[in-house]
Amino acid sequence: MTKTQYYTATSLDGFIADAANSLGWLDQFEGVDGSDYEEFIEAVGALAMGSTTYQWLLDHHIRPGTPEQQPWPYSQPAWVFSSRDLPAIDGADIRFVRGDVRPVYGEMVQAAGGKNVWIVGGGDLAGQFYDHGLLDELIITIAPVTLGSGASLLPRVIASPPLLLLSATTWGKTFVRLHYQVQRPPG
Ligand SMILES: NC(=O)c1ccc[n+]([C@@H]2O[C@H](COP(=O)([O-])OP(=O)(O)OC[C@H]3O[C@@H](n4cnc5c(N)ncnc54)[C@H](OP(=O)(O)O)[C@@H]3O)[C@@H](O)[C@H]2O)c1
């Protein structure tokens, strides 16, 4: 059955990017053994992200028009949320959408064909799915840094019922991976 998962890395104080929208604090750990990303992405059938995350991928990973240009990294269909017209990427299955996440969720589940839906980020977009009862799990990798400010991991109050901890895994002397299930209020 399809699960909607918010899978991301965060600083210890709850930011997924620093105040300059940089991931340099995370990149420093590239090469640390133990990532489960390959296993995770294998089970993903559709993914969604907001425009800041998409722009970050364009600027730092894909770099269109430069000698270092890279292909779009996902084979799954992707939905990018923005109120603006953003540049597309040749050969990538990207659908640009805006507004209510509920109809988009329906399209994503259908496209996923029984695989999972990945909310890549940011935190408010994951929150929009949560607001409508459409977020099933959080898979959060905590890096051993604090950032003080930046893009919030999940700017929502989730306190009662609390999240249910499914597992906590350490990853070398660097990361802790917390896997939570979102619990629905009774009734
Ligand atoms: N640590 C990690 O593993 C990780 C993972 C993912 C992302 N990141 C980073 O975290 C940062 C996240 O940035 P962010 O907090 O700004 O979040 P974001 O979700 O990437 O972008 C937010 C923007 O998306 C658009 N948007 C969101 N929901 C929308 C909706 N329902 N309809 C229309 N547009 C919508 C809005 O911009 P417009 O309407 O103006 O376009 C909004 O300001 C980025 O720097 C990203 O690179 C880190």
Side-chain angles (χ1 to χ4, degrees):
M1 206 184 81
T2 297
K3 286 182 285 191
T4 303
Q5 298 174 316
Y6 178 34
Y7 174 102
T8 191
T10 180
S11 67
L12 185 57
D13 55 345
F15 299 105
I16 61 169
D18 71 15
N21 264 324
S22 166
L23 293 181
W25 55 275
L26 186 59
D27 293 342
Q28 68 179 314
F29 302 114
E30 214 171 27
V32 171
D33 282 343
S35 169
D36 66 351
Y37 178 77
E38 291 305 326
E39 197 182 321
F40 165 77
I41 196 72
E42 185 63 30
V44 169
L47 55 99
M49 68 184 71
S51 61
T52 315
T53 301
Y54 180 68
Q55 192 65 52
W56 185 91
L57 275 168
L58 281 174
D59 295 345
H60 296 90
H61 183 76
I62 299 160
R63 289 176 285 181
T66 70
E68 298 82 33
Q69 182 164 341
Q70 297 291 317
W72 177 245
Y74 306 114
S75 57
Q76 300 88 343
W79 280 257
V80 173
F81 282 84
S82 181
S83 59
R84 297 169 290 130
D85 291 331
L86 300 176
I89 297 170
D90 284 347
D93 183 351
I94 299 173
R95 300 119 200 246
F96 294 97
V97 288
R98 63 187 67 185
D100 193 335
V101 298
R102 286 171 290 185
V104 177
Y105 170 80
E107 288 172 32
M108 293 180 75
V109 170
Q110 197 166 19
K115 288 188 156 190
N116 295 327
V117 166
W118 178 20
I119 311 302
V120 182
D124 185 71
L125 184 63
Q128 293 175 48
F129 283 83
Y130 171 80
D131 294 340
H132 294 293
L134 302 176
L135 189 62
D136 297 310
E137 295 183 356
L138 312 182
I139 305 172
I140 307 296
T141 299
I142 301 176
V145 302
T146 62
L147 298 174
S149 63
S152 173
L153 169 65
L154 187 55
R156 291 295 185 280
V157 176
I158 304 178
S160 182
L163 300 168
L164 180 69
L165 182 64
L166 299 179
S167 68
T169 316
T170 56
W171 174 355
K173 293 191 174 181
T174 307
F175 294 112
V176 180
R177 165 75 44 81
L178 300 174
H179 187 172
Y180 292 104
Q181 186 178 72
V182 176
Q183 301 189 92
R184 313 273 179 237

